[in-house]
Each structure stands twice: as structure tokens, then as C-alpha cells.
Amino acid sequence: MKDFRYLEDVATLVLDEEKCIGCGLCTEVCPHAVFEMNQNRAKIVDFNACMECGACVSNCPADAISVSPGVG
Amino acid sequence: MEMKQTRGKQENPNRSGVSTANVQIMPAMDMSGSAYGTEENRPLAAYEKPGYELCGYVDRFLETEAGPVPSVRRVLDKADRLSTIAVRCGIRRHNYLVSPGLYGIGKPDTGSEVLVTANYKLTFDHLRSALGNVSAWILVLDTRGVNVWCAAGKKTFSTRELVNRIRAVSLETVVTHRRVIVPQLGATGVSARQVREQSGFRVVYGPVRACDIPAFLNNGRKADKQMRQVTFPLFDRFVLTPVEIHSALKPMGITVLVLLILSGIGPSFFSFQEAWDRGGTALLALAAGFLSGAVLTPVLLPFLPSRKFAFKGVVTGSLCAAALLPVLVPAVGSFTGAAALYIFSVMVSSHLAMNFTGATPFTSPSGVEKEMKQYIPLQMAGVLVSAGLWIYSAF
Ligand code: SF4
Ligand code: SF4
């Protein structure tokens, strides 16, 4: 979402590109277009748009993504 | 039944009088016969059950392998619209739900899509009125009357509920394909892989907005980027404000009491007259902060400076309180007192604006935490200073 941005550098999103199997599901479920596919691997393209909803985490079949709001 | 039907059609010569021949007690009893159940005005009589009432949005029943499935209307009627307004205003917030289970819309068959949704009636109404001429099955999950996104966050819209509901309605006998369309905003609570493992049904994530479903289906169940992204338009921000107001009412009530007590403190230790007079002015400042934080800030959100909601609230609060100064200064009669109320308004606005982070679809909990750590101490300090000045100004 371009008109609504929240604080920068606070999200706890972590993507382990090594584990990614390239299914593309994270790009489908993320409501803020945080991921894009790049040569059959997911890539974080808009880190600061992440609202830590966890949709990508619960759907990634390779457990390659994590968010941990409330920690740290 | 037969007797009623003939009676309904019968011409009645004694419409306005009391007739012993027809045993008519009141003329109104025979008005056009519409009070009696006939095949025409009660076509669903066969589906009635004692103790149950047919929902207004059901227009017929579809016979399926899994038994009769209610078919719902696409058009919202007056009752739907009125209750939507009531719910939005917070008059009827709870128990506004639809029975979980399977419904149909249009003329669905064994090849039609299955659209999954929540059992909040607003969500359900929104879906059925957004489908254009699509024929489909609608699988309503039990989310305790909460919308898809909030329910997914609370995990009531979940893998388990979806799998159990698929089994409970025997979905595999109703459709021949093995696919359910889950709204994208439900993805937080659902694991597509687990649903497939446990039910045999593949989860396809539909668009964020129900109005995009017809296009999504026409497009071979593919959503484009814009259909996948959440927005937060003016209308959405505006309809959330009654919720904000509602949830702030209780703390506001306590604040009103405290304000009245503080305002009574003065040279004569405590004066009810002062509590009333000065308290009234203080309440005005409270109201300004309240409106500014809970209504104005959400509505003006994208136009206010800073990304921090608490700061946005400071901006709107300052403007509102400034607008009120011409009233405040003469009413209070001292610069110190007016300053106290000004600060108070701004702090209330800032706090309520910060609360609004909980209602937006783009604020990360980590960000909210950071903001709160920074602004709550500031807001508390502001309120203390303001209370000090307010009491001081009475002497
Ligand atoms: S947590 Fe939500 S917003 Fe963040 S990347 Fe995952 S799906 Fe997108
Ligand atoms: S969901 Fe997981 S495996 Fe699939 S593309 Fe995204 S990161 Fe890779």
C-alpha cells in the first residue's frame, strides 16, 4: 500500500532464502506485496510494508519465513 | 389447508360487519386472505421446522447429495441494510451472525466453486451482494460472528475450523472437484498445506475484496497484484470510528468523573459550584480531544504528518484545541487554566489516535510497541502537568 506506510525497520520478518522451494504462495497471501519471485526463489522487496500478520508464515510449505512480533 | 385456501379466496359480503354465518370476529381477519399460509406465499413450508425461523435472506432450497442446502438472495433487503447500519453504529455489535454451514447462491452444481467466508452477517451480506451473477457454494465457518481478518488473527478462522466444516457439510458429496476458495485475508489463520493433508481439499486464495471475486474467477482463479493488496480508503476509516468511540466510552466516563473532582478543588478546599462550572469547561476540552483522536485522526490519517499515530493525534489535537481557545480562555478566566486544558486535549487526542493503530490493516505490532514505549510516558507526563496547572489555576 503506497499511501499508508508505518514505522521503518521494526518488522521482525525473516526469510531464509536457502529453504525456499519457490512455490510462490507467500507472494499470493501477503496483503502488502512484501515478496516477489526472483529466479524461482522468494525475495523480500518491501520489508517496511510488512505488518507481521503471519499469513506468509502459516502458508510457507518449507518453513522458510518467520515473524515474531512481541519479541525484543 | 384446503379449508384455509377456499376461505382466502372467498368473497365476503359482510366485510365490515359481524356475521354469524361466517363466524367472523373482526373484519381485519379476512383481509384479502394474506394472513393464511398458501402455496404461493409460503413456498418453503416443506423446509420449516418447529422452533426454527427461516432467515430472510434464504429464497429457496437446493437439493444436493448432502441434503437440502439453503440458497441465498444476492440483493440485500431493507432489514439487512437497517441492521447493517445498527451494527456499524455499535447498537447491535454482538451476536450478529449467520449459522455456519453450506449455502448456495444462484444455480450452483457439482462443478461450482466453493467460497469460504466468516459467519459475521456483515461479511456474509457483503459477499452475497458482491458476486454479480456468479453461481457458487458458500461455506460459512464459525468465527463467532467476527469478520474474516480479525477471526484469522484470533485463529477462529483456522485450518481446523475449515477442515471440520468441510467434513460436517460433506462437501465431497456436493462438489466433484477438490478445491475451496479462501479469502486472502483468511490466510493468517489457515495453512493451505495442512488443509489439503487433512481434508483432501486444495486451498486457492481468492482476492482481498469480495467485489473482485467475479473477475478472479473469470481470470482462471488468478488474482492480479492489485486484487492482492489491502487498501484503507476513507469510507473504511470512517466506518471504524464508531467502534473507536464505543471502546473509548468507558475510560471516558471515568475521565469525566476525575475531571469534575479535580475541577472542584480550589481555595475553599472543594466546591461543588466550581466542580460544575470549571468542570464543564474541562469537559469541553475532553470532548475536543476525543473527537480529534477518535474521529478526525482516523478520517484524515493519510494527510497528517509523521508515521506515528500518536504524533498525528498531537497535530489534530493541537488544531482542535486551538479552535476551542476563544471559548476556553474567557470561560476559564486565566491563561494557566486555558493552557492546562489545551495540553489535556492534545494528550487525549494523541492517546486515542495511537489506539487506532489496532484497527488499521498496515500497522505491525512491533511498530505499535515501539510507538507506545515512546509516547505513553509522554502522554502521562502531559496529563500530569495539565492536572497540576489546572489545580494551580484555581487558586
Ligand atoms: S507477515 Fe504478513 S505482511 Fe508481513 S510479509 Fe508475511 S504476509 Fe506479508
Ligand atoms: S512460500 Fe515459502 S517456499 Fe514458497 S515461495 Fe514463499 S518462501 Fe519460498
Side-chain angles (χ1 to χ4, degrees), chain B residues 288-310:
Chain B
F290 181 72
L291 278 181
S292 155
V295 181
L296 218 55
T297 312
V299 168
L300 297 178
L301 203 61
F303 312 108
L304 296 169
S306 173
R307 292 196 178 167
K308 292 185 176 143
F309 283 49

mmCIF file with all atom_site columns, all heavy atoms in Angstrom, chain B residues 288-310:
data_model
loop_
_atom_site.group_PDB
_atom_site.id
_atom_site.type_symbol
_atom_site.label_atom_id
_atom_site.label_alt_id
_atom_site.label_comp_id
_atom_site.label_asym_id
_atom_site.label_entity_id
_atom_site.label_seq_id
_atom_site.pdbx_PDB_ins_code
_atom_site.Cartn_x
_atom_site.Cartn_y
_atom_site.Cartn_z
_atom_site.occupancy
_atom_site.B_iso_or_equiv
_atom_site.pdbx_formal_charge
_atom_site.auth_seq_id
_atom_site.auth_comp_id
_atom_site.auth_asym_id
_atom_site.auth_atom_id
_atom_site.pdbx_PDB_model_num
ATOM 1   N N   . ALA B 1 288 ? -13.208 17.796 22.839 1.00 0.00 ? 288 ALA B N   1
ATOM 2   C CA  . ALA B 1 288 ? -12.405 18.187 21.675 1.00 0.00 ? 288 ALA B CA  1
ATOM 3   C C   . ALA B 1 288 ? -11.320 17.144 21.419 1.00 0.00 ? 288 ALA B C   1
ATOM 4   O O   . ALA B 1 288 ? -11.104 16.707 20.278 1.00 0.00 ? 288 ALA B O   1
ATOM 5   C CB  . ALA B 1 288 ? -11.792 19.556 21.899 1.00 0.00 ? 288 ALA B CB  1
ATOM 6   N N   . GLY B 1 289 ? -10.639 16.720 22.467 1.00 0.00 ? 289 GLY B N   1
ATOM 7   C CA  . GLY B 1 289 ? -9.580  15.720 22.323 1.00 0.00 ? 289 GLY B CA  1
ATOM 8   C C   . GLY B 1 289 ? -10.137 14.397 21.840 1.00 0.00 ? 289 GLY B C   1
ATOM 9   O O   . GLY B 1 289 ? -9.535  13.704 21.018 1.00 0.00 ? 289 GLY B O   1
ATOM 10  N N   . PHE B 1 290 ? -11.299 14.060 22.343 1.00 0.00 ? 290 PHE B N   1
ATOM 11  C CA  . PHE B 1 290 ? -11.966 12.812 21.990 1.00 0.00 ? 290 PHE B CA  1
ATOM 12  C C   . PHE B 1 290 ? -12.314 12.775 20.499 1.00 0.00 ? 290 PHE B C   1
ATOM 13  O O   . PHE B 1 290 ? -11.953 11.840 19.772 1.00 0.00 ? 290 PHE B O   1
ATOM 14  C CB  . PHE B 1 290 ? -13.227 12.703 22.846 1.00 0.00 ? 290 PHE B CB  1
ATOM 15  C CG  . PHE B 1 290 ? -14.030 11.455 22.642 1.00 0.00 ? 290 PHE B CG  1
ATOM 16  C CD1 . PHE B 1 290 ? -13.563 10.240 23.113 1.00 0.00 ? 290 PHE B CD1 1
ATOM 17  C CD2 . PHE B 1 290 ? -15.249 11.500 22.000 1.00 0.00 ? 290 PHE B CD2 1
ATOM 18  C CE1 . PHE B 1 290 ? -14.309 9.085  22.937 1.00 0.00 ? 290 PHE B CE1 1
ATOM 19  C CE2 . PHE B 1 290 ? -16.005 10.350 21.821 1.00 0.00 ? 290 PHE B CE2 1
ATOM 20  C CZ  . PHE B 1 290 ? -15.524 9.140  22.293 1.00 0.00 ? 290 PHE B CZ  1
ATOM 21  N N   . LEU B 1 291 ? -12.989 13.819 20.050 1.00 0.00 ? 291 LEU B N   1
ATOM 22  C CA  . LEU B 1 291 ? -13.366 13.884 18.634 1.00 0.00 ? 291 LEU B CA  1
ATOM 23  C C   . LEU B 1 291 ? -12.131 13.900 17.735 1.00 0.00 ? 291 LEU B C   1
ATOM 24  O O   . LEU B 1 291 ? -12.082 13.234 16.701 1.00 0.00 ? 291 LEU B O   1
ATOM 25  C CB  . LEU B 1 291 ? -14.196 15.135 18.367 1.00 0.00 ? 291 LEU B CB  1
ATOM 26  C CG  . LEU B 1 291 ? -15.671 15.017 18.722 1.00 0.00 ? 291 LEU B CG  1
ATOM 27  C CD1 . LEU B 1 291 ? -16.389 16.319 18.389 1.00 0.00 ? 291 LEU B CD1 1
ATOM 28  C CD2 . LEU B 1 291 ? -16.307 13.851 17.968 1.00 0.00 ? 291 LEU B CD2 1
ATOM 29  N N   . SER B 1 292 ? -11.140 14.636 18.179 1.00 0.00 ? 292 SER B N   1
ATOM 30  C CA  . SER B 1 292 ? -9.937  14.768 17.385 1.00 0.00 ? 292 SER B CA  1
ATOM 31  C C   . SER B 1 292 ? -9.199  13.433 17.261 1.00 0.00 ? 292 SER B C   1
ATOM 32  O O   . SER B 1 292 ? -8.752  13.053 16.185 1.00 0.00 ? 292 SER B O   1
ATOM 33  C CB  . SER B 1 292 ? -9.055  15.834 18.027 1.00 0.00 ? 292 SER B CB  1
ATOM 34  O OG  . SER B 1 292 ? -7.724  15.627 17.696 1.00 0.00 ? 292 SER B OG  1
ATOM 35  N N   . GLY B 1 293 ? -9.110  12.695 18.382 1.00 0.00 ? 293 GLY B N   1
ATOM 36  C CA  . GLY B 1 293 ? -8.346  11.449 18.367 1.00 0.00 ? 293 GLY B CA  1
ATOM 37  C C   . GLY B 1 293 ? -9.097  10.272 17.774 1.00 0.00 ? 293 GLY B C   1
ATOM 38  O O   . GLY B 1 293 ? -8.524  9.443  17.071 1.00 0.00 ? 293 GLY B O   1
ATOM 39  N N   . ALA B 1 294 ? -10.407 10.199 18.062 1.00 0.00 ? 294 ALA B N   1
ATOM 40  C CA  . ALA B 1 294 ? -11.155 9.005  17.668 1.00 0.00 ? 294 ALA B CA  1
ATOM 41  C C   . ALA B 1 294 ? -11.879 9.156  16.340 1.00 0.00 ? 294 ALA B C   1
ATOM 42  O O   . ALA B 1 294 ? -12.286 8.169  15.754 1.00 0.00 ? 294 ALA B O   1
ATOM 43  C CB  . ALA B 1 294 ? -12.156 8.619  18.767 1.00 0.00 ? 294 ALA B CB  1
ATOM 44  N N   . VAL B 1 295 ? -12.071 10.378 15.876 1.00 0.00 ? 295 VAL B N   1
ATOM 45  C CA  . VAL B 1 295 ? -12.794 10.562 14.614 1.00 0.00 ? 295 VAL B CA  1
ATOM 46  C C   . VAL B 1 295 ? -11.935 11.272 13.562 1.00 0.00 ? 295 VAL B C   1
ATOM 47  O O   . VAL B 1 295 ? -11.693 10.750 12.477 1.00 0.00 ? 295 VAL B O   1
ATOM 48  C CB  . VAL B 1 295 ? -14.116 11.350 14.829 1.00 0.00 ? 295 VAL B CB  1
ATOM 49  C CG1 . VAL B 1 295 ? -14.860 11.501 13.508 1.00 0.00 ? 295 VAL B CG1 1
ATOM 50  C CG2 . VAL B 1 295 ? -14.992 10.657 15.856 1.00 0.00 ? 295 VAL B CG2 1
ATOM 51  N N   . LEU B 1 296 ? -11.444 12.454 13.947 1.00 0.00 ? 296 LEU B N   1
ATOM 52  C CA  . LEU B 1 296 ? -10.730 13.270 12.964 1.00 0.00 ? 296 LEU B CA  1
ATOM 53  C C   . LEU B 1 296 ? -9.427  12.618 12.498 1.00 0.00 ? 296 LEU B C   1
ATOM 54  O O   . LEU B 1 296 ? -9.141  12.562 11.303 1.00 0.00 ? 296 LEU B O   1
ATOM 55  C CB  . LEU B 1 296 ? -10.433 14.637 13.598 1.00 0.00 ? 296 LEU B CB  1
ATOM 56  C CG  . LEU B 1 296 ? -10.550 15.816 12.670 1.00 0.00 ? 296 LEU B CG  1
ATOM 57  C CD1 . LEU B 1 296 ? -11.911 15.849 12.005 1.00 0.00 ? 296 LEU B CD1 1
ATOM 58  C CD2 . LEU B 1 296 ? -10.304 17.112 13.433 1.00 0.00 ? 296 LEU B CD2 1
ATOM 59  N N   . THR B 1 297 ? -8.646  12.095 13.438 1.00 0.00 ? 297 THR B N   1
ATOM 60  C CA  . THR B 1 297 ? -7.372  11.486 13.062 1.00 0.00 ? 297 THR B CA  1
ATOM 61  C C   . THR B 1 297 ? -7.573  10.281 12.136 1.00 0.00 ? 297 THR B C   1
ATOM 62  O O   . THR B 1 297 ? -6.927  10.208 11.093 1.00 0.00 ? 297 THR B O   1
ATOM 63  C CB  . THR B 1 297 ? -6.552  11.101 14.303 1.00 0.00 ? 297 THR B CB  1
ATOM 64  O OG1 . THR B 1 297 ? -6.535  12.210 15.191 1.00 0.00 ? 297 THR B OG1 1
ATOM 65  C CG2 . THR B 1 297 ? -5.138  10.723 13.935 1.00 0.00 ? 297 THR B CG2 1
ATOM 66  N N   . PRO B 1 298 ? -8.477  9.329  12.475 1.00 0.00 ? 298 PRO B N   1
ATOM 67  C CA  . PRO B 1 298 ? -8.684  8.208  11.553 1.00 0.00 ? 298 PRO B CA  1
ATOM 68  C C   . PRO B 1 298 ? -9.103  8.671  10.155 1.00 0.00 ? 298 PRO B C   1
ATOM 69  O O   . PRO B 1 298 ? -8.589  8.168  9.153  1.00 0.00 ? 298 PRO B O   1
ATOM 70  C CB  . PRO B 1 298 ? -9.806  7.403  12.208 1.00 0.00 ? 298 PRO B CB  1
ATOM 71  C CG  . PRO B 1 298 ? -9.684  7.692  13.655 1.00 0.00 ? 298 PRO B CG  1
ATOM 72  C CD  . PRO B 1 298 ? -9.216  9.112  13.735 1.00 0.00 ? 298 PRO B CD  1
ATOM 73  N N   . VAL B 1 299 ? -10.003 9.638  10.095 1.00 0.00 ? 299 VAL B N   1
ATOM 74  C CA  . VAL B 1 299 ? -10.507 10.073 8.795  1.00 0.00 ? 299 VAL B CA  1
ATOM 75  C C   . VAL B 1 299 ? -9.415  10.778 7.984  1.00 0.00 ? 299 VAL B C   1
ATOM 76  O O   . VAL B 1 299 ? -9.255  10.550 6.801  1.00 0.00 ? 299 VAL B O   1
ATOM 77  C CB  . VAL B 1 299 ? -11.752 10.970 8.981  1.00 0.00 ? 299 VAL B CB  1
ATOM 78  C CG1 . VAL B 1 299 ? -12.123 11.660 7.683  1.00 0.00 ? 299 VAL B CG1 1
ATOM 79  C CG2 . VAL B 1 299 ? -12.930 10.137 9.479  1.00 0.00 ? 299 VAL B CG2 1
ATOM 80  N N   . LEU B 1 300 ? -8.622  11.609 8.654  1.00 0.00 ? 300 LEU B N   1
ATOM 81  C CA  . LEU B 1 300 ? -7.586  12.390 7.952  1.00 0.00 ? 300 LEU B CA  1
ATOM 82  C C   . LEU B 1 300 ? -6.252  11.657 7.865  1.00 0.00 ? 300 LEU B C   1
ATOM 83  O O   . LEU B 1 300 ? -5.271  12.215 7.360  1.00 0.00 ? 300 LEU B O   1
ATOM 84  C CB  . LEU B 1 300 ? -7.367  13.727 8.666  1.00 0.00 ? 300 LEU B CB  1
ATOM 85  C CG  . LEU B 1 300 ? -8.561  14.680 8.702  1.00 0.00 ? 300 LEU B CG  1
ATOM 86  C CD1 . LEU B 1 300 ? -8.204  15.943 9.472  1.00 0.00 ? 300 LEU B CD1 1
ATOM 87  C CD2 . LEU B 1 300 ? -9.001  15.037 7.277  1.00 0.00 ? 300 LEU B CD2 1
ATOM 88  N N   . LEU B 1 301 ? -6.220  10.423 8.326  1.00 0.00 ? 301 LEU B N   1
ATOM 89  C CA  . LEU B 1 301 ? -4.975  9.666  8.501  1.00 0.00 ? 301 LEU B CA  1
ATOM 90  C C   . LEU B 1 301 ? -3.873  9.917  7.464  1.00 0.00 ? 301 LEU B C   1
ATOM 91  O O   . LEU B 1 301 ? -2.765  10.314 7.838  1.00 0.00 ? 301 LEU B O   1
ATOM 92  C CB  . LEU B 1 301 ? -5.302  8.179  8.581  1.00 0.00 ? 301 LEU B CB  1
ATOM 93  C CG  . LEU B 1 301 ? -4.276  7.302  9.291  1.00 0.00 ? 301 LEU B CG  1
ATOM 94  C CD1 . LEU B 1 301 ? -4.112  7.741  10.738 1.00 0.00 ? 301 LEU B CD1 1
ATOM 95  C CD2 . LEU B 1 301 ? -4.731  5.857  9.251  1.00 0.00 ? 301 LEU B CD2 1
ATOM 96  N N   . PRO B 1 302 ? -4.146  9.707  6.162  1.00 0.00 ? 302 PRO B N   1
ATOM 97  C CA  . PRO B 1 302 ? -3.033  9.825  5.218  1.00 0.00 ? 302 PRO B CA  1
ATOM 98  C C   . PRO B 1 302 ? -2.561  11.256 5.006  1.00 0.00 ? 302 PRO B C   1
ATOM 99  O O   . PRO B 1 302 ? -1.489  11.471 4.456  1.00 0.00 ? 302 PRO B O   1
ATOM 100 C CB  . PRO B 1 302 ? -3.602  9.246  3.922  1.00 0.00 ? 302 PRO B CB  1
ATOM 101 C CG  . PRO B 1 302 ? -5.068  9.319  4.063  1.00 0.00 ? 302 PRO B CG  1
ATOM 102 C CD  . PRO B 1 302 ? -5.380  9.267  5.518  1.00 0.00 ? 302 PRO B CD  1
ATOM 103 N N   . PHE B 1 303 ? -3.344  12.218 5.440  1.00 0.00 ? 303 PHE B N   1
ATOM 104 C CA  . PHE B 1 303 ? -2.966  13.608 5.191  1.00 0.00 ? 303 PHE B CA  1
ATOM 105 C C   . PHE B 1 303 ? -2.209  14.234 6.350  1.00 0.00 ? 303 PHE B C   1
ATOM 106 O O   . PHE B 1 303 ? -1.744  15.361 6.266  1.00 0.00 ? 303 PHE B O   1
ATOM 107 C CB  . PHE B 1 303 ? -4.215  14.441 4.874  1.00 0.00 ? 303 PHE B CB  1
ATOM 108 C CG  . PHE B 1 303 ? -5.092  13.795 3.855  1.00 0.00 ? 303 PHE B CG  1
ATOM 109 C CD1 . PHE B 1 303 ? -6.315  13.242 4.203  1.00 0.00 ? 303 PHE B CD1 1
ATOM 110 C CD2 . PHE B 1 303 ? -4.661  13.686 2.539  1.00 0.00 ? 303 PHE B CD2 1
ATOM 111 C CE1 . PHE B 1 303 ? -7.114  12.610 3.258  1.00 0.00 ? 303 PHE B CE1 1
ATOM 112 C CE2 . PHE B 1 303 ? -5.444  13.055 1.587  1.00 0.00 ? 303 PHE B CE2 1
ATOM 113 C CZ  . PHE B 1 303 ? -6.668  12.516 1.939  1.00 0.00 ? 303 PHE B CZ  1
ATOM 114 N N   . LEU B 1 304 ? -2.102  13.507 7.452  1.00 0.00 ? 304 LEU B N   1
ATOM 115 C CA  . LEU B 1 304 ? -1.437  14.066 8.622  1.00 0.00 ? 304 LEU B CA  1
ATOM 116 C C   . LEU B 1 304 ? 0.049   13.722 8.595  1.00 0.00 ? 304 LEU B C   1
ATOM 117 O O   . LEU B 1 304 ? 0.429   12.652 8.140  1.00 0.00 ? 304 LEU B O   1
ATOM 118 C CB  . LEU B 1 304 ? -2.085  13.510 9.895  1.00 0.00 ? 304 LEU B CB  1
ATOM 119 C CG  . LEU B 1 304 ? -3.550  13.900 10.087 1.00 0.00 ? 304 LEU B CG  1
ATOM 120 C CD1 . LEU B 1 304 ? -4.176  13.100 11.210 1.00 0.00 ? 304 LEU B CD1 1
ATOM 121 C CD2 . LEU B 1 304 ? -3.663  15.392 10.347 1.00 0.00 ? 304 LEU B CD2 1
ATOM 122 N N   . PRO B 1 305 ? 0.878   14.640 9.095  1.00 0.00 ? 305 PRO B N   1
ATOM 123 C CA  . PRO B 1 305 ? 2.323   14.386 9.064  1.00 0.00 ? 305 PRO B CA  1
ATOM 124 C C   . PRO B 1 305 ? 2.735   13.264 10.024 1.00 0.00 ? 305 PRO B C   1
ATOM 125 O O   . PRO B 1 305 ? 1.991   12.932 10.938 1.00 0.00 ? 305 PRO B O   1
ATOM 126 C CB  . PRO B 1 305 ? 2.909   15.718 9.508  1.00 0.00 ? 305 PRO B CB  1
ATOM 127 C CG  . PRO B 1 305 ? 1.841   16.374 10.307 1.00 0.00 ? 305 PRO B CG  1
ATOM 128 C CD  . PRO B 1 305 ? 0.546   15.931 9.694  1.00 0.00 ? 305 PRO B CD  1
ATOM 129 N N   . SER B 1 306 ? 3.905   12.718 9.788  1.00 0.00 ? 306 SER B N   1
ATOM 130 C CA  . SER B 1 306 ? 4.517   11.667 10.618 1.00 0.00 ? 306 SER B CA  1
ATOM 131 C C   . SER B 1 306 ? 3.852   10.315 10.395 1.00 0.00 ? 306 SER B C   1
ATOM 132 O O   . SER B 1 306 ? 2.694   10.219 9.988  1.00 0.00 ? 306 SER B O   1
ATOM 133 C CB  . SER B 1 306 ? 4.438   12.003 12.097 1.00 0.00 ? 306 SER B CB  1
ATOM 134 O OG  . SER B 1 306 ? 4.874   10.909 12.860 1.00 0.00 ? 306 SER B OG  1
ATOM 135 N N   . ARG B 1 307 ? 4.606   9.256  10.635 1.00 0.00 ? 307 ARG B N   1
ATOM 136 C CA  . ARG B 1 307 ? 4.028   7.909  10.537 1.00 0.00 ? 307 ARG B CA  1
ATOM 137 C C   . ARG B 1 307 ? 3.505   7.455  11.878 1.00 0.00 ? 307 ARG B C   1
ATOM 138 O O   . ARG B 1 307 ? 2.784   6.476  11.972 1.00 0.00 ? 307 ARG B O   1
ATOM 139 C CB  . ARG B 1 307 ? 5.100   6.947  10.055 1.00 0.00 ? 307 ARG B CB  1
ATOM 140 C CG  . ARG B 1 307 ? 5.456   7.280  8.632  1.00 0.00 ? 307 ARG B CG  1
ATOM 141 C CD  . ARG B 1 307 ? 6.193   6.188  7.973  1.00 0.00 ? 307 ARG B CD  1
ATOM 142 N NE  . ARG B 1 307 ? 6.452   6.582  6.598  1.00 0.00 ? 307 ARG B NE  1
ATOM 143 C CZ  . ARG B 1 307 ? 7.282   5.955  5.813  1.00 0.00 ? 307 ARG B CZ  1
ATOM 144 N NH1 . ARG B 1 307 ? 7.932   4.899  6.251  1.00 0.00 ? 307 ARG B NH1 1
ATOM 145 N NH2 . ARG B 1 307 ? 7.460   6.366  4.593  1.00 0.00 ? 307 ARG B NH2 1
ATOM 146 N N   . LYS B 1 308 ? 3.908   8.154  12.901 1.00 0.00 ? 308 LYS B N   1
ATOM 147 C CA  . LYS B 1 308 ? 3.465   7.754  14.234 1.00 0.00 ? 308 LYS B CA  1
ATOM 148 C C   . LYS B 1 308 ? 2.068   8.292  14.494 1.00 0.00 ? 308 LYS B C   1
ATOM 149 O O   . LYS B 1 308 ? 1.824   9.489  14.412 1.00 0.00 ? 308 LYS B O   1
ATOM 150 C CB  . LYS B 1 308 ? 4.456   8.262  15.278 1.00 0.00 ? 308 LYS B CB  1
ATOM 151 C CG  . LYS B 1 308 ? 5.766   7.537  15.157 1.00 0.00 ? 308 LYS B CG  1
ATOM 152 C CD  . LYS B 1 308 ? 6.734   7.899  16.235 1.00 0.00 ? 308 LYS B CD  1
ATOM 153 C CE  . LYS B 1 308 ? 7.970   7.034  16.077 1.00 0.00 ? 308 LYS B CE  1
ATOM 154 N NZ  . LYS B 1 308 ? 9.205   7.745  16.383 1.00 0.00 ? 308 LYS B NZ  1
ATOM 155 N N   . PHE B 1 309 ? 1.176   7.381  14.820 1.00 0.00 ? 309 PHE B N   1
ATOM 156 C CA  . PHE B 1 309 ? -0.208  7.773  15.046 1.00 0.00 ? 309 PHE B CA  1
ATOM 157 C C   . PHE B 1 309 ? -0.321  8.731  16.219 1.00 0.00 ? 309 PHE B C   1
ATOM 158 O O   . PHE B 1 309 ? -1.112  9.670  16.206 1.00 0.00 ? 309 PHE B O   1
ATOM 159 C CB  . PHE B 1 309 ? -1.079  6.530  15.300 1.00 0.00 ? 309 PHE B CB  1
ATOM 160 C CG  . PHE B 1 309 ? -1.400  5.763  14.059 1.00 0.00 ? 309 PHE B CG  1
ATOM 161 C CD1 . PHE B 1 309 ? -0.407  5.414  13.156 1.00 0.00 ? 309 PHE B CD1 1
ATOM 162 C CD2 . PHE B 1 309 ? -2.705  5.377  13.795 1.00 0.00 ? 309 PHE B CD2 1
ATOM 163 C CE1 . PHE B 1 309 ? -0.706  4.692  12.005 1.00 0.00 ? 309 PHE B CE1 1
ATOM 164 C CE2 . PHE B 1 309 ? -3.022  4.658  12.644 1.00 0.00 ? 309 PHE B CE2 1
ATOM 165 C CZ  . PHE B 1 309 ? -2.015  4.317  11.750 1.00 0.00 ? 309 PHE B CZ  1
ATOM 166 N N   . ALA B 1 310 ? 0.490   8.485  17.254 1.00 0.00 ? 310 ALA B N   1
ATOM 167 C CA  . ALA B 1 310 ? 0.431   9.342  18.436 1.00 0.00 ? 310 ALA B CA  1
ATOM 168 C C   . ALA B 1 310 ? 0.751   10.783 18.048 1.00 0.00 ? 310 ALA B C   1
ATOM 169 O O   . ALA B 1 310 ? 0.143   11.724 18.560 1.00 0.00 ? 310 ALA B O   1
ATOM 170 C CB  . ALA B 1 310 ? 1.397   8.840  19.496 1.00 0.00 ? 310 ALA B CB  1
#
